[in-house]
Structures are given as structure tokens and as C-alpha cells.
Amino acid sequence: MKKATKIAKTKKFKADKKMAAAGLLGALLLTSASVVPAAAAGLTWNSSSGYLINATDSNTTTSASTAASTSSTGTTSTASDLKVSNLKVSDLVTLKTKDYNVSWSKTEYTTIKLNSTKATVSGSGAKASGSTVTISEAGTYVISGKLTDGQIVVDAADTDDVHIVLRGVTVSNDSTSPFYVKSADKVIVTLSAGTTNTFTDASDYTFAEGEDEPDAAIFSKANLTINGTGALNVTGNYKDGIHSKDNLNIVNGKITVKAADDAIVGKDRVVIENGTYKLTAGGDGIKSNNDSDTAKGFVAISNGTFNITAANDGIQAETSLVVDGGTFNIVTGGGYENGPEHTEEGPGGMGGGDFGGQMPEGWTPGEMPTNADGTAMTPPTNADGTAMTPPTAPTTSTTTTTDASGTAAASDDATTEETTSESMKALKAGTELVINKGTFNIDAADDAVHSNGNVNIAGGTFDIATGDDGFHADAVLEISGGKIEVTNSYESLEGFIINIKGGDIDVTASDDGVNAAGDDPTLATTDATATTGTQTTAPAASASSTSATSTSTDSATSTDATSSASQMPGGMGGGMMAASNAELNISGGTLTVNAAGDGLDSNGSVDMSGGTVIVNGPTDNGNGPLDYDGTFEISGGTLIAAGSSGMAQAPSTTSSQRSLGITFATSQSAGTLVHVEDSAGNNVLTFAPAKSFSSVVVSSSLLKAGETYTVSTGGTSTGTEFDGLYTGGTYSGGTTYTTFEFSSSEATTWIDSTGVTTAPSGMGGFGGGMGGDGTGTTRGTRGTTSGTASSSTTGTTTATE
């Protein structure tokens, strides 16, 4: 579904039943002003350094490149310079030898034995006072036993390293944290092999006047490392489970945390190597939240097994999140079924048939716009075959505000609506999110993989169900490897720049399958002045999906305003509006899309030079299998896109590889074979769309200028089938649809039952239009099969081989 310059998605999470009212006029595009880009709220793009937080402390000058393009506002953009980082954990951090040190028996150490309400100390550096043990010097301390309503405190010099060995320790506290590092340089906690260690805090803390710390069952103001192979069970009844205000390193261990808020927090960083983790959080599962230093606030994970159930985000990094391996089972917000109810803002809301986008100059509301030759454009049709009705002119809205003195001030033509919802993302980063390998089973109410900057998927296996986006990047989303399956999503792949370079990708979406859209990050400003030169109010920096903050809520602010009569709500595309600098680039891999909205959607351009793309697009005429506003240049690879025909588009006629567009007067049944062969009987295409369809677009190096081709429908194939595409084998028993000669002058030829025809008069990607029940999940099991396949045929049957 088209998002124009940016159409805000109003979210209503079923889990919290937060009703977000959709304004009657919705997110109309402004003609003379634009909302400050999302990245401006706490993030700034720098051409040499990538994303930066705290822009005022950084060099925020963006250098123009020779490849710079110009947006529709006339502002120079360096969007083509946007690149993902190829970070590995070793690029972010290398732990020290002492972080791995678990030995103690051959060194000098102090023994601390806990006995219900008191403790005994043998050695130096620690003292016991009733049920409180205080460690005040550097050294090694071996602790065992149980304390009821007790506390272990580390209060050493800020240059001291303290090594604590837990050998079967249970400590609870009725009024505060049972394990409190007040001062030290680093505290290393070793979980002795074969032991289980348990810490439980109070549900209500008693603080000294003016204090609000500690706030976790294990709380440290110093650098904290946890290592060893033993077990650690932590219950954070008050707030967090494990919380370090400096660095938090975890090397191995069997760690179980149940927390009222966040399970594991390391303010400056969280580094995890190996181990087994079971985390249950009322807030976030794992989090690093330093928002004042661009070199901190990251999460780096190398292997381990993670079972995370979080009310909010699963793993959240203020800056970078990098994963070099591991197995991750993550559920957020109760799962995808508790995801947001999406409302596309504009008259009519959702539903097949909303017009949208920017209409041509001179358009009269209530009438169809005209083509270049002055003839009226043919409107797309509703599901029942009736023509869609163009909307009437939007009405002017008035917002009444008061100044400091209480005087009312009326403001015409603009309203601002702010809605707030919880962030329930599985993997979330503020700047860079990089997955190099790992296994991810994600059931998320919100985005499964999300970055306010870039997302780079270099490898890994993903099984994703999400109530919102599968993979979302405000800047660049790049996939170069791995195996990805998104079984449920609103939009599966979304980013301003989307690069598909490799991998095996299979996605299902109730709206767009792949959507290159959003604000150009390179045009972000650090003040409230929009890039058009017209001042507008910037969204407040908050913990939204478009800002880098540390809180667990998202505050999404959208500016809704009426404009001139030449504006229409929603997202009309296909050349009906000025193209943005968004890009969808496909150079390799296999991408299969099943979408109830647009299959491949770009608010800017599409470039395809390799790979295999199969699109089972919408069944309604308010969306299209392909939808782009700029150009679609194809020079290699195989493209197949089937779906409705009301908005059907094919690659640009200037492409170096040829494309064929086939339209049908009536809808064809799902599974009906479409077969294209040349005059010598060689197979060009044998494909069975997964849903009913009235158009099929194919681009292949097998299509040649001036050649004669025959298109047939129905019949059977003995070839090997993968996602509906048959290779090898023999096709037979079909009905000849038409025979035609491919154009010698243009790269794209359109045909119908009469032969060569003109391109459909569809007007691009109209808003609304959730096909059928909106699930887009009508295909069978994905995979490769071989043997004879058959589909129904209609009319007279002729055999072709």
C-alpha cells in the first residue's frame, strides 16, 4: 500500500486495547511543508560515520557525493550513499582475559558462609554485620549458603577488581536488592560448576531520602562480568533482574531471570558469549540504553541459547545490535495476534478502493483526472467489478490551541494527532542492526527486526510471525544471505533503501510484501525546519520506532493536514505522484512474496540485475503486484508477478532485459498454469499463481525482440515446481490464449487475448485495498516438488509441447 512521502501508520495494540483514533482526513501530504524526517528525532546521518545519536555532540555535516540525486522538493539528497555496516562482535568489543577467569582454588581467597540470618567471614577484605556482607577490597571471595532478608554489598575503591565465586548461594531481601555493587572498577561473578545460585528482591524498596538506587535484584554501579557454567536464578520483583550501570558482560552460565520490568540491562553495553538464558520480562528482555555516548549503548551477542518472553522489546540496543550466532526464541507483546490494528489514514480508512496520493495539476475533486492526451483516465474497479469513485475535495479542519495567557488561537488547515503505543519489537537497534548468523524463531506483536538506522542480514535462519513489519529499517535494509520465512506480517520487508543481494526469502504480508518508502534519512535536520525551507513542528524526540531512546514505549507523532484540492489521501503511485529517492535493488537471491497489498512497492525506483523474484500479489484492484513511482530498470534475473490487473505495472520500457505483461478479461483461478513458449516450442515460463489473478508479468533473458510467442493457460506440467514456478519437464493440455510478436522497439510488451495491446491504465498503488480477508496466506506449503502437476482448463484445449 503506497505511503507517498510518508503516510503514518496509526497503531492500536490489542494487548493494551489502546484505541488510536484515525482522523477523517488522515495523513494528507503537504504541498509546501513536510514533516521532519523520522531520523531527525535523535538520529542524524553522516556520510562518513553513518548514524549518530546526540547530533549536537557530533560532526553532522553531510557531504554531497557525485551520485547525489534531487528530491521532489528540490533538496539535494545523498540517499545513494547510504550503506549498511558490516559489523562483527569483534569490531565492537574484545573481552579481557580476566572476564573469562573462573579459577579460584589455587589463589588466595576469602571464604564467606551464609547461614540464614547471619554470615561468617574467614579472611580479609570483607565483613559481616547481621545478614549483610560487605566486601571492601580487591580480591577473590568464595560464597556459599543462604541468607533470608540479607544482602551482599561490594563497596570497594573504584580502581579495585573484585572476584566473587558463587558456590550454591541463595539470598533474598524484603526491602531492597540482595546483591548490590556500590563501588568498584570491575566485579566478576563466577557461577561455580554444578551449583545453583538464587537472588530474589522485594516488590517494594525502601530508599534513603533522595535515592532511587539500587533497582534490581542484582544491581551494579561498576562494570559487571558473569561467567562460569553454574546456574543463576534471578527474580526482580521490584523492577529489573540484572542491571549494570556500566558494562555488562556475560560469559556462559545457565541464567534464568524473571523481572517486573527489564530482565537484563547493561547501560553502557551488553556483551554475551555462550550460555543458556530463560528471560521473562514485564518490560524488555535484554537492553543497553546509554543515549549520551555514540560508542556505547550497544548489544553484542556471540552464541548462546535464548528463550525470551517480554511484554515490550525482546533485545534492544540504543546504538548497535550485532549477533554473530546463537539460537533465539523470542515472544514479545503476547505474540503477533496481539499486534497493532493498522489504520491507513484518510477518507474511508482501509478497504478496497480508497484513492490516494497526489493528483495531477488541474484535477477537479469528484472527477477522474485526465491522461496526457486529455482523455479521462479509466478508474480501477472494486471487487464487484464496479468502478471506484474519485473522492471529493477534503474539508478544512480547524485546531484550537491556547497560548501561555490562555488566549485561544485558531489554526486552519492543519491538525496534529499524537498517539502512543508500547514498543513490542523482537530485535531493535537505534543505529545499526547486523545479523551475521544465528537461528531466530520470533513471534512479535510489533516489528520482528527493527532499526532506526540500518538493518544488515548477512546470514542466519529466521522463522517470523509479526503483527507489524517483519524487517524494518528507517534507512537501509540489506539482505545478502540466510534463510528467511515470514509467515505473518503487515509489511514483510520495509526500508527507505532495500537491497536484496542473496538469501532465500519467503514472505507473507497482509499489506505490502516489500516496501521501499519513508523519509530520506540524508535530508534529516536537527531542528524544526523542514527540508523544503518551510518551518514545521518536529515530532518530539521520544521512544518511538523512529527515534533512538531507552524507554520501553513508542510515541508515534504524525502531522495531519489538508492541502490544496490537488491532494488525495492514501498512496497513489505508478507515476501519479512525484517519485521519492527510495530504492528497491535486487541483485541476487530468491525472493517469494505473497501479499494482499502491493507485492513489490517502491515510492521511488526499482533496479533488478539478478536473482529470482516470484510475486503472488493482491486479488483486489486497489493494489498491484508491482507498484513503483519512478522507474523499474531490469537487466538480469527472473521476475514473475501475478495478481490483479487494475493497478498492474511492468518494468520500464527502457530496461535492457525484456518483460511481458499478460492481462485477462476475467479473473483466473488460483493454480491455473500460465505457459509461455517461443516459436520453436522452448519453455519461457510455466507458472501457477497461488491466488486468483488477472495479470501476470514475466521478465526473463529468454524473451527476445521480434520473436513470436504463444501464451497458454491451464494444462499440466511434469517439471520440477518451486513456489509455483516449473522448470524442466513437459507442458501439455493447455488452452491457447494468444500468439504474438514481441516488440522490437520497447523492452516491455503487453498482451491480452487479442494479441499485443497497450499497458493497463491503472493509476498505480491506491491506498486501502486489503485483499480478501487481508491475510494473504492462501498458498500451499512452500518448497520444491517434482512430477506431474495439473490445473483446470477452460475453453477448447490444444496441446503444446
Side-chain angles (χ1 to χ4, degrees), residues 408-693:
S411 174
D412 291 339
D413 298 334
T415 62
T416 299
E417 177 184 316
E418 182 173 307
T419 61
T420 303
S421 62
E422 297 293 325
S423 176
M424 303 175 184
K425 300 170 177 64
L427 304 175
K428 177 181 175 183
T431 57
E432 303 284 339
L433 195 158
V434 182
I435 307 295
N436 293 307
K437 59 182 177 178
T439 300
F440 302 83
N441 299 293
I442 294 175
D443 184 4
D446 204 341
D447 296 349
V449 179
H450 175 101
S451 175
N452 295 348
N454 301 323
V455 172
N456 182 4
I457 307 299
T461 301
F462 299 81
D463 187 350
I464 289 174
T466 170
D468 202 12
D469 298 338
F471 294 78
H472 175 100
D474 282 2
V476 181
L477 167 60
E478 182 164 301
I479 301 174
S480 58
K483 182 177 177 61
I484 295 171
E485 183 174 10
V486 179
T487 59
N488 192 98
S489 69
Y490 177 62
E491 292 184 333
S492 294
L493 309 179
E494 185 173 51
F496 183 72
I497 305 291
I498 301 177
N499 299 323
I500 308 296
K501 296 182 175 181
D504 180 9
I505 308 165
D506 175 32
V507 299
T508 300
S510 61
D511 192 40
D512 299 342
V514 180
N515 185 29
D519 293 319
D520 186 339
T522 66
L523 300 181
T525 58
T526 57
D527 55 26
T529 303
T531 56
T532 57
T534 303
Q535 188 166 346
T536 184
T537 302
S542 60
S544 71
S545 59
T546 56
S547 65
T549 62
S550 59
T551 60
S552 61
T553 59
D554 279 354
S555 178
T557 304
S558 62
T559 301
D560 303 336
T562 62
S563 61
S564 69
S566 65
Q567 300 294 321
M568 300 174 68
M572 182 176 297
M576 291 300 297
M577 58 185 293
S580 78
N581 293 315
E583 298 176 10
L584 169 59
N585 304 305
I586 303 170
S587 58
T590 300
L591 171 62
T592 302
V593 174
N594 188 357
D598 298 323
L600 304 183
D601 186 356
S602 176
N603 281 12
S605 63
V606 182
D607 184 275
M608 183 173 176
S609 59
T612 299
V613 176
I614 298 172
V615 176
N616 289 289
T619 56
D620 70 284
N621 281 321
N623 293 281
L626 306 175
D627 184 5
Y628 60 93
D629 293 334
T631 60
F632 189 149
E633 297 291 333
I634 185 165
S635 58
T638 300
L639 169 68
I640 305 165
S644 58
S645 57
M647 297 300 184
Q649 289 183 281
S652 301
T653 59
T654 56
S655 297
S656 59
Q657 178 170 291
R658 298 185 178 272
S659 303
L660 171 64
I662 309 167
T663 60
F664 301 89
T666 59
S667 179
Q668 306 296 298
S669 299
T672 299
L673 290 179
V674 177
H675 177 73
V676 181
E677 65 179 39
D678 63 20
S679 57
N682 298 312
N683 178 70
V684 174
L685 172 72
T686 303
F687 179 64
K691 297 183 286 188
S692 60
F693 62 97

Side-chain angles (χ1 to χ4, degrees), residues 161-185:
D161 286 350
V162 176
H163 186 191
I164 297 175
V165 181
L166 301 179
R167 290 180 52 80
V169 172
T170 299
V171 182
S172 62
N173 196 292
D174 295 340
S175 60
T176 187
S177 168
F179 189 100
Y180 179 25
V181 178
K182 193 172 184 180
S183 177
D185 179 40

